[in-house]
Amino acid sequence: MRIGVPKEIKNHEYRVGLTPGAVREYVAHGHEVIVQTGAGAGIAADDDAYRAAGAAIVDTAAEVFATAQMIVKVKEPQPGEWVQLREDQILFTYLHLAPDPEQAKGLQASGVTAVAYETVVDARGHLPLLAPMSEVAGRLSIEAAGTALKAVNGGRGVLIGGVPGVQPARIVVLGGGVVGTHAARMAVGLGAEVTIIDRSIPRLRELDELFQGRVRTRVSTLESIEHEISEADAVIGAVLIPGASAPKLVTRPMLKLMKPRAVLVDVAIDQGGCFETSHATTHAEPTYEVDGVIHYCVANMPGAVPLTSSHALNNATLPYGLALADRGYAAAEADAGLMAGVNVRGGKIVNKVVAEALGVAG
């Protein structure tokens, strides 16, 4: 199969769909790989590194889309990209279709078979291709909160870890999954006071054991959320319903409960966001203010650390990508977990949860 890797074009997106090391694996499996010139610049992999790995370099994304049988990307295709997709292709990338009906329509119109990293599941029901970027985003969320809390950036002027004799920042993490766990790990490491809110008592027990009493845990209720955000310097939105839009856990009226110039970091923004006042931002303009509260809602947070992110992503996606390259759509038919990743095929939304989120028939 011919595998194509276009350069990412989303705002400040420096990751790449395949690293040179991953290209070597595809070539070793007998596949042809074409890479757009400069695609690996963000991870310090020049065209020669890709040539050494066995790839052919082409000048434009149009050449990649026109000739490849499978397109491997990082972020969802932009309007100028989805119009280049076609019926006999496989697209393998993050899609996050639930809050993006226009993209969904574009993929349906193209006829492409679109496989979304974020809905592939493993034998335990986990999300193996979402997990590495959730780990990165969770850790970055605390860095983002720390930056946004600085007075020069409009924040409260609070140092996350405090200093001896001065109270550290209070950080509330909504959601105890992969993002929330890694956010809490970073926050605790910096010396913050951390509370994790989750609706699963068994998960809260696991987190209590994991952190050995260094974080507080609370069951998610309206009362607990309102109380905790009223005391917080920063709130990390880390909730996930696979394939579906994120629930709005913090409404606009709740912002009036928060401290002036406190910070909300919405890591769920790819799925529509878990704060009512969230809208997607970019690394170029990451924050905005609503009712005196600073919002950080960058939709591709891991793109800020592309070297780490690209290698972590490729470590996870490689076995699935090779399966698709080796067997085509038959690989998904033989693997229920990979089939869960198929969001669009033959002009239809075929993932039930995604279809329900979009309000269309699967």
Side-chain angles (χ1 to χ4, degrees):
M1 184 179 284
R2 177 176 287 180
I3 314 301
V5 183
K7 186 175 182 178
E8 297 293 324
I9 62 173
K10 191 163 186 173
N11 182 284
H12 284 263
E13 181 52 70
Y14 304 108
R15 289 172 290 180
V16 63
L18 293 181
T19 63
V23 168
R24 285 190 65 185
E25 298 297 323
Y26 278 87
V27 172
H29 275 240
H31 303 294
E32 180 183 355
V33 182
I34 56 173
V35 178
Q36 183 183 355
T37 184
I43 65 166
D46 61 18
D47 292 350
D48 285 341
Y50 280 98
R51 289 190 184 98
I57 303 299
V58 298
D59 291 332
T60 66
E63 293 174 80
V64 174
F65 283 97
T67 62
Q69 296 164 283
M70 182 167 80
I71 303 291
V72 180
K73 283 176 43 62
V74 178
K75 290 304 292 178
E76 72 280 358
Q78 303 302 294
E81 295 176 314
W82 73 55
V83 296
Q84 299 183 67
L85 296 167
R86 60 180 191 271
E87 187 174 350
D88 61 345
Q89 280 179 327
I90 295 173
L91 172 66
F92 192 38
T93 189
Y94 286 115
L95 293 177
H96 298 291
L97 291 180
D100 193 354
E102 291 306 309
Q103 184 202 166
K105 291 175 184 175
L107 295 180
Q108 287 178 271
S110 74
V112 73
T113 295
V115 184
Y117 295 155
E118 72 273 8
T119 60
V120 172
V121 299
D122 63 19
R124 297 174 296 172
H126 296 165
L127 304 171
L129 308 191
L130 185 61
M133 295 305 93
S134 295
E135 292 165 351
V136 172
R139 295 184 181 210
L140 282 176
S141 70
I142 302 304
E143 293 186 14
T147 299
L149 278 169
K150 294 177 181 176
V152 294
N153 296 320
R156 287 178 49 74
V158 175
L159 180 65
I160 284 182
V163 292
V166 180
Q167 182 174 323
R170 293 192 64 170
I171 295 180
V172 174
V173 180
L174 302 179
V178 177
V179 170
T181 300
H182 283 264
R185 188 188 300 273
M186 284 289 285
V188 167
L190 289 171
E193 293 183 8
V194 181
T195 300
I196 303 176
I197 298 179
D198 197 276
R199 63 184 182 180
S200 168
I201 294 176
R203 180 57 183 163
L204 293 177
R205 290 193 180 108
E206 293 172 354
L207 291 166
D208 184 67
E209 180 69 22
L210 175 66
F211 287 103
Q212 295 291 294
R214 290 178 295 169
V215 303
R216 295 188 303 140
T217 59
R218 294 198 66 178
V219 172
S220 180
T221 64
L222 287 172
E223 182 180 20
S224 65
I225 291 172
E226 288 180 349
H227 176 264
E228 293 298 333
I229 68 171
S230 72
E231 300 289 331
D233 295 295
V235 179
I236 310 299
V239 298
L240 173 70
I241 300 176
S245 295
K248 308 301 183 188
L249 297 185
V250 176
T251 64
R252 183 160 189 170
M254 289 181 184
L255 299 187
K256 299 185 187 308
L257 303 173
M258 297 184 68
K259 298 175 182 178
R261 295 182 293 142
V263 172
L264 295 176
V265 179
D266 200 338
V267 189
I269 194 64
D270 272 329
Q271 293 295 127
C274 61
F275 308 135
E276 184 181 13
T277 45
S278 292
H279 64 75
T281 61
T282 68
H283 289 291
E285 296 183 37
T287 63
Y288 60 93
E289 178 266 327
V290 177
D291 295 343
V293 175
I294 309 301
H295 292 57
Y296 178 101
C297 305
V298 173
N300 60 330
M301 289 177 65
V305 286
L307 190 58
T308 296
S309 296
S310 294
H311 284 283
L313 180 61
N314 273 248
N315 289 343
T317 60
L318 183 60
Y320 296 91
L322 287 175
L324 288 168
D326 290 345
R327 302 184 60 193
Y329 183 68
E333 293 179 312
D335 181 343
L338 184 53
M339 180 61 80
V342 181
N343 282 201
V344 183
R345 180 167 169 80
K348 296 181 179 180
I349 306 296
V350 295
N351 180 291
K352 183 179 178 181
V353 175
V354 173
E356 289 176 351
L358 289 166
V360 300

